[in-house]
Amino acid sequence: FTRPAQSATLSGGFDVGPGGFQGNFNPLAATAGFTWLSIYFEPLVAYDAKLQKTVGVLASSYEISPDQLTYAFKLADAKWHDGKPFTANDAKFTIGLAKNAKTGSVLAARLSPVSAVEAPDEHTLVIKLSAPSASLIDTLTKVMMLPEHALSSIPADQLAKSPWWSTSPIGTGAFKFTKYVNDQYVELAANTDYRGGKPALEKIINRYFADPAAAIAALRAGEIQFTYVDSNDVPTFKDDTSFQVIEGNSFVVNYLGFNHESPIWKDLRVRQAVMHAINRDAIIQSLYGGAAKPANCAYVADQLVPKDIDPYAYDPEKAKALLKEAGWDEINGGKPITLLTYYTTPLATNVLAAVQAMLAQVGINVVPRAVDAPTYNSIVLKPDADISQFQLVYAGLQNGPDAGSINVGLNEKQIPPAGPNVVRARIPDLTAALDTALAEPDAAKRDERYRQVCKVMNSQLPWGTLWVANRYGVVSTKVKDFVWTPAPGGGPYEADPQHWSIAE
Amino acid sequence: MLTFSLRRLAIGIGMLLALSMLIFLLLRLTPGDPIDAYIDPNIPLSPADLAELRSRLGLDQPLPVQYLAWLQQALTGNLGYSIKRMDQPVLGLVLSRIGPTILLMGTALVISIIVGIATGIVSAVRRNSVTDVSFSVLALAGISSPAFLSALIGLYVFAVRLNWMPSGGMLTPGEPFSVLDLLHHLILPACLLAVAQAALIMRYMRASLLEVLNQDYVRTARAKGVIEFWVIVKHALRNALLPVVTLIGSTIGLAIGGAIFIESVFNWPGMGLLLVDSVETRDYPVIMGATLIIGACVIVVNLLTDMTYAVIDPRIKVG
Amino acid sequence: MLARTPTRSPGPLARALDRFLINRAAVFGVCLALPVLAMILSYPLWWTFKPNDIDLLAMNSGPSSKHVFGTDGVGRDVFARVMEGGRISLLVAVASTLLSAIIGFLFGAVSALAGRWADAVGMRFVDLVMTLPPVIFLLVLASIAGTGIWPTVLVISLLSWPLLARMVRARLLELRERDFVIAARGMGAGLPHLLFRHGLPNSIDILVVYATLQIANAILLEAGLSFLGLGIAPPAASWGNMLNAARSTAVLEQYPWQWLFPGGALILAVLAINFIGDGLRDAFDPRAELN
Amino acid sequence: MTEPLLSVRDLSKHYASHGTRLTILKDISFDIGKGEVVGLVGESGSGKTTIGRSVLRLVEPSAGNVRFDGVELTGLSPSAMRRMRPRMQYIFQDPFASLSPRMTIGEILTEGLKIQRIGTRAERMERARIALEQVDLPAEAINRYAHEFSGGQRQRIGIARALTLTPELIVADEPVSALDVSIQAQVINLLRDLQQQLGLTMLFISHDLAVVEYICDRVIVLYLGRIMEIAASGDLYARPQHPYTRALLSAIPSTDVGAKRERQVLKGEIPSPANPPSGCVFRTRCPHAIEACGQAAPELREVAPGHFKACIRDDIPLGAMP
Amino acid sequence: MQSAEPVLAIQGLKTIFRIRGGDVTAVNDVDLTVGAGETVALVGESGSGKSVTSLSVMRLLTRNIGSIAAGSIRLRRKDGSGHDLVTLTDEEMRDIRGDDIGMVFQEPMSSLNPVYTIGDQIAEPIRIHRGATRKAAMATAVSLLESVGIPDAKRRAGQYPHELSGGMRQRATIAMALACDPTLLIADEPTTALDVTIQAQILDLLLKLQRERGMAILFVTHNLGVVAQIAHRVAVMYTGRIVEEGPVGEVFSNPKHPYTKGLLASMPRLGDATRMKQAGEKLAAIPGVVPSLVNMPSGCTFAPRCQFAIEACRKAVPALEPVGPLHKSRCIRWREI
Ligand SMILES: Nc1ncnc2c1ncn2[C@@H]1O[C@H](COP(=O)(O)OP(=O)(O)OP(=O)(O)O)[C@@H](O)[C@H]1O
Ligand SMILES: Nc1ncnc2c1ncn2[C@@H]1O[C@H](COP(=O)(O)OP(=O)(O)OP(=O)(O)O)[C@@H](O)[C@H]1O
Ligand SMILES: [Mg+2]
Ligand SMILES: [Mg+2]
């Protein structure tokens, strides 16, 4: 067999990422995978490739009224893949769908502040809010514009079931959807009319891999040119000149969540002892190969972390002393504490083994229990959850690019069933700090507010924050001008796929 | 024959009904429901949204009501929609997986039948020879290796290191369909899958042939002056095949459920993968649909096995 | 007048043992299995490392005189883990085999001996369980039962018993018509008597062979479950979950000792048990009873 | 005659097989007096074993009833039946299959006592020893397994087992047909001695007419599940009335080389119980069959004192064998 | 009746089996001849070596467990040539099997292949040895079935063994053995599994076929009555050796070996049994059991059960001595019997 030449085709495992849902073509229902979806669909706005600021995509510019209640978007002169023009009505239609839970939209709740959407003319879209929302723009980055002319005939509650998504979706992006081969791959072809210029590649193919090892095998065999990899697979490529490793911040803080309803964590000193007992530097150096940063609150971005917070240095003696002070023997004795997690990767397994061993040294006896995501959710989200099943969790929550996203995991108002504050943190200071930060209309002042959140977290320890790990992609050096960022939730960001190219 | 088929059909339908009830019950006993699988802690859904989603899926109804609703739909041939991939009807999803599964299993089965029967015959005829012992040891080694390990090693050796075979998938993406391409993708997983199966068939074949070679009618054949080759191939083999057919029948039944390890390592879009995936996401309709379709296949395969018996052995009357 | 010399007579089991001992492969299996078993059981007495002691400074180091099998991704001693994994894998295998043998025997025996209705209902149920695709059954059961030794034992048992039930039933259906059982019925024997005085001794060959082969199977099943993230949860060691490390390409390629040793131990153990099982099968062959 | 020990009336047995109904036994009636030995002869598949087992309710009869010592066995509750069982025992044809290979002779011999909860362990062992003595086997046999014994010895053990429960009725199902010629005589002698010593009542099933003649007082001839003839054994062998009995007798090869008897070879084979011939079931092979034989099943009628036959023709002279 | 050269002449045949713990001799020093048109019966108890003798003639003992250790087996083939079967190659032997020697086995059910039709199985030796076409062989098979007395032979030829009754099956195996018109027919207990009425049919058939075809028959049985009915000569085997041999009439009326005598006496005779019963006579049983091959008594193997045994009997195996013109006995005290 000779391998057919694929000069102008880029294949990759794009949609294999953290939490990536394979084979989900409906952006309204997508909780991840936007890196891929945004190659053929486009949102109004997106982050830049460094995830630091938002830039317009289908909106050439936008303005926010001083009261933070009106957002006016100037729309770009774009065309759908079928040649019809993209208009403000399409945008209005799309936001309508995204706001409507009946469509299966996962964004409905986050768009709830939107009170009205208007399309005064073809190129202007006005969104009115009932109350200021700091995260509206962040949410809008995930709202992929959909063609009204193709979808308006489908009733909202039938939309999710429509075969349109996997057979003939049309967007405005640099590539057009051509075909989906059942759980094998999706193929996109260049959209030669793309307003940003004719794409350099002829085709982009996203292949699905069930097993990470298979993706790596395909990459090394030259069948694909790019894939996301786990950090412990990175060394395999480090010295290989035909591949380039792309490293980026995951924005996901990994933490040990103390179940605040469990009496054993009531005493702050116990929580502090946990922090002091874990040698995070050693774990980062050895298990992560240095590819993580210790986190002493949920944030890692420099501008959000105050300088004077407690670094909780590794100090088992101090931990023991703290436990003794708190009377740990009386609190829990030697009984094993279940450490519940939904991470099942080999890396997480090793990390938990290390954490278990370290905690054991100071006399805290934990036993990791890894379950699949639905089981985890069903345990922790149950309103009347059984404390004994998850006295401690090992989990992760993203804290960027919108720093406010951490709110749901810590705000007292988000305790299940209201939201995903699974550790049931009831820390008034923290709730107040988060509320203040979220309500801060002034973007410039917001960082300061978040620093305050960080401070409270650091001192009160609703979570035992551990670190923020890096994420990796590996791309063939034949691929040029390729932009990939390990964005939380799978993007989207400004990736300019029309510029991607591949050398012979 | 007709009444036999009809009776088996009736039993089969009863079986499927019981099967659907059992799996329905089991599913509700598993922790977590589709919505739990759907939730991403980073994209919080409001309780109202969750309730809305649950009620749209009927998950808030009492169990018997849910089951009956499902059954009523299923009886009209509508197995519902996948929860995870809402745009995909279950029936289509499952049917689209059955093809690749049958292709992979069928190829593996053909390989294993040929290899297993041939080596089994040689082993039995040369009983206790070096050939026999080495075949038997190899077979045992094949049976003793965990499938996922051999899959990973096979992948690593043949796809990554030697680069002889593609690393997975069923077709080269972006290329027009070609049978050669399909075969190229098929051969490695099929062979890996065939190893354990061939080993098992070999051992059954050997035992059964040894038994048959002791039968009186084999002696009769020799007493007629039949040459040894035909004694084995014509007189012994056909009789010795019965237990092997049973074995093959029962493993086909099991295999339709998928070889999860091979499928997941080689990314073969078969039933096994679909099932793992749908259990992980608690995609109830898909699990129910897949169970039913697989169950139906198993029942059909059992029927075919019985009919094969009748072809091989005229003593067994179907009817 | 007696056919043989009047010394102490060997019973059926003794004769089976006799036949077993002349089977070279089977004896080889025993010779392979016994030392491994002894090592696994006694290793804490003579081995310096504990299976769960981590040493982040010595992780991923290859076999050396200190760590004869090298260390794993968190610096645990692979040898100690292989030994500990053997304990757990064997415990799971033996316990699940026992459990499934009990369920399978009772189910099959009662079906065969307790009359037409019991048989019809029992066998339909067995059919049902066997029609249930094993993958689904495995996954669903495992997610209901959870991970850990006992849930794994339960899952493996529930998956395995129907086969035995069928074999026992087939044997006892035939036994039921045998003259000595009819004689017992003619003397007034009830179900418990038939079950335990005739059914059990006359299924002992099936049970023993099933048990050995099922132990081998269960070890493999446990490994498979661990591969799917079910089964024995880390950091507890089992051969299956140690092998699971080979999923990571880096481990597969660069730290082969981390999977070669547990894999080797597993294959060796399963092979030895299969050899033994084969020997037992031949030793218990009913045709051998005739002469 | 006084009240017979065993009385069988209109016993019938059907099996359903693949949707067709097999009539294995039809309207079998006979009595066995106390201390009497009755022979049951017939070709393979004629239903001898089925009768023997129905009598002990090891097979449930489809119709008819069996009285034992005045007690109606058919319809007895399982526990009442269990109490009756020691009084009637069965001896099997195959000395290899009838002894459990996994029990010692001691266990085999005490099994019945144990089931019936009779005696202590020691008493039971004692009883087993006595039984062994009764069948001329050495006492040390008690700790051995059946496979160590020859066929004849095993058959003795089978007889001993039946004796442990001190039964009144014994059904012996071809007890010697699996044995070698030189051993048969030993076992026949033993059975006859025991029967006489213990005053046993016996239903003796066999297809060897010479053995039956030697051991039985009366003989029942069976064909395709129907009784053809019943007579005292001397009478039957001297003056067989039914054409089938005659054919059967003439088919037996004799060792008297000189006197080549006139033999009658029956044509054809025993019909299938799935579709038996109408009327007299023997008529398809009967050299004397006439049209009337196909009309109705012939009654079993007394043609001489104590001699019954089921044949409508009385006009076949004794020597008339074509 | 006997032609000058016998069809089969066995001399000094010794057949051994390799079993765990050494070799056992199943057949020892057997001499036997069968002439054309003659029926010789081989009688003896189970395990006495009758089948092993007949399998030795066919050279059908499984190679690794049983083999001919000594002796010769001379066969006169159809073309008149003589061969020692012991020295033939496998291919040569295969030519003879089914062609010059036909064999009928005891169990008519298990000796027919259940998955092929009767016709196919009968036609097979014709196709092998005569090179006949399938169709021609089938036609011959049908006529063979007719000649063994199966009505509606054409239909029967298309049926499978399980669709036939025991008697018909045995007829079919006889047809199969006769397919190539063998000079020697070996029948190993062909009627033991059958009912008396069917047995009579089969015996009649064999007698008729022999009259028509003139073949030699080696008839293995343990039923003395059958011997009396069908055989010209009889050889009585005990523990692998022939202990008495001679014309049937002479052996039965005037047995010269205590074993033969015992056998004849231990069977109740039809018609005589009533008298014995009334007289309270017991059957004359031979005491004891047949010794097992691995544990053979020295000297005359029958001595432990023999009422005539003297010290000398236990010393050496007696020779097969002539006790009459055609009558031989392996007993040193034959004169006293
Ligand atoms: N369970 C059964 N189901 C169907 N048919 C049966 C069953 N048991 C016996 N039969 C049939 O009943 C008939 C009589 O059987 P039975 O064993 O009583 O005959 P028999 O006279 O004892 O024969 P034999 O001399 O061979 O022992 C046979 O045709 C047999 O096939
Ligand atoms: N394959 C074998 N291995 C070992 N011993 C054997 C084998 N076949 C036969 N024998 C022994 O050889 C002796 C003669 O057996 P053979 O079959 O010739 O007896 P038989 O006279 O035909 O008896 P039957 O009347 O039971 O058919 C027996 O003692 C038997 O145990
Ligand atoms: Mg019978
Ligand atoms: Mg024989």
Coordinates of all heavy atoms in Angstrom, one line a residue, chain D residues 6 24 55 74 85 92 94 96 133 135 173 190 201 229 231 251 274 279:
Chain D
L6 N -49.7 -57.6 44.7 CA -49.7 -56.5 43.7 C -50.8 -56.7 42.7 O -51.0 -57.8 42.2 CB -48.3 -56.5 43.0 CG -48.2 -55.4 42.0 CD1 -47.9 -54.1 42.7 CD2 -47.1 -55.7 41.0
I24 N -47.0 -46.2 25.0 CA -46.0 -47.1 25.4 C -46.7 -48.4 26.0 O -46.3 -49.5 25.8 CB -45.0 -46.5 26.3 CG1 -44.4 -45.2 25.7 CG2 -43.9 -47.5 26.7 CD1 -43.7 -45.5 24.4
V55 N -45.0 -49.7 38.3 CA -45.5 -50.4 39.4 C -44.9 -49.8 40.7 O -45.6 -49.7 41.7 CB -45.1 -51.9 39.3 CG1 -45.1 -52.6 40.6 CG2 -45.9 -52.6 38.3
T74 N -51.1 -45.4 43.2 CA -51.4 -44.2 42.4 C -52.2 -43.2 43.2 O -53.2 -43.6 43.7 CB -52.1 -44.6 41.1 OG1 -52.9 -45.7 41.4 CG2 -51.1 -45.1 40.1
R85 N -42.0 -47.1 50.2 CA -41.0 -47.5 49.3 C -40.1 -48.6 49.8 O -39.7 -49.5 49.0 CB -40.1 -46.3 48.9 CG -40.8 -45.3 48.0 CD -39.8 -44.6 47.1 NE -40.5 -43.7 46.1 CZ -41.0 -44.2 45.0 NH1 -40.8 -45.4 44.6 NH2 -41.6 -43.3 44.1
F92 N -31.6 -53.5 38.9 CA -31.4 -53.0 37.6 C -30.6 -53.9 36.6 O -29.9 -54.8 37.1 CB -30.6 -51.7 37.6 CG -31.4 -50.6 38.3 CD1 -31.4 -50.5 39.7 CD2 -32.2 -49.7 37.6 CE1 -32.1 -49.6 40.4 CE2 -32.9 -48.8 38.3 CZ -32.9 -48.7 39.7
D94 N -28.2 -53.0 34.3 CA -26.8 -52.7 34.0 C -26.0 -52.6 35.3 O -26.2 -51.7 36.0 CB -26.8 -51.4 33.2 CG -25.3 -51.1 32.8 OD1 -24.4 -51.8 33.3 OD2 -25.2 -50.2 31.9
F96 N -23.2 -51.8 35.8 CA -22.2 -50.7 35.8 C -22.9 -49.4 36.1 O -22.4 -48.6 36.9 CB -21.5 -50.6 34.5 CG -20.6 -51.8 34.2 CD1 -21.1 -53.0 33.7 CD2 -19.3 -51.8 34.6 CE1 -20.3 -54.1 33.5 CE2 -18.4 -52.9 34.4 CZ -19.0 -54.0 33.9
E133 N -23.4 -60.6 53.0 CA -23.3 -62.0 53.3 C -24.4 -62.7 52.5 O -24.1 -63.8 51.9 CB -23.5 -62.2 54.8 CG -22.8 -63.4 55.3 CD -22.8 -63.3 56.8 OE1 -22.1 -62.5 57.4 OE2 -23.6 -64.1 57.4
V135 N -25.6 -62.1 49.7 CA -25.2 -62.3 48.3 C -23.9 -62.9 48.1 O -23.3 -62.7 47.0 CB -25.4 -61.0 47.5 CG1 -26.8 -60.5 47.6 CG2 -24.4 -59.9 48.1
D173 N -35.3 -56.1 36.8 CA -35.3 -55.7 35.4 C -34.1 -56.3 34.6 O -33.0 -55.7 34.7 CB -35.4 -54.2 35.3 CG -35.7 -53.7 33.9 OD1 -35.7 -54.6 33.0 OD2 -35.8 -52.5 33.7
L190 N -28.5 -67.4 42.7 CA -28.5 -66.6 43.9 C -29.9 -66.0 44.1 O -30.5 -66.0 45.1 CB -27.5 -65.5 43.8 CG -27.6 -64.4 44.9 CD1 -27.1 -65.0 46.2 CD2 -26.8 -63.2 44.5
T201 N -41.7 -61.7 46.8 CA -42.6 -61.7 45.6 C -41.8 -61.0 44.5 O -41.1 -60.0 44.8 CB -43.9 -60.9 45.9 OG1 -44.5 -61.4 47.1 CG2 -44.8 -60.9 44.7
E229 N -50.2 -62.7 26.1 CA -50.6 -64.0 26.7 C -50.1 -64.0 28.2 O -49.0 -63.4 28.5 CB -49.9 -65.1 25.9 CG -50.4 -66.5 26.3 CD -50.0 -67.5 25.3 OE1 -49.3 -67.1 24.3 OE2 -50.3 -68.7 25.4
A231 N -49.7 -67.0 31.3 CA -50.0 -68.4 31.6 C -48.9 -68.8 32.7 O -47.9 -68.2 32.8 CB -49.9 -69.3 30.4
A251 N -37.8 -68.6 17.8 CA -36.7 -67.8 17.3 C -35.5 -68.0 18.2 O -34.4 -67.6 17.8 CB -37.1 -66.4 17.3
A274 N -45.6 -44.8 17.9 CA -46.2 -43.6 17.4 C -47.5 -43.9 16.6 O -48.4 -43.2 16.7 CB -45.2 -42.7 16.7
G279 N -56.5 -52.5 15.6 CA -56.9 -53.8 16.0 C -55.7 -54.5 16.8 O -55.2 -53.9 17.7

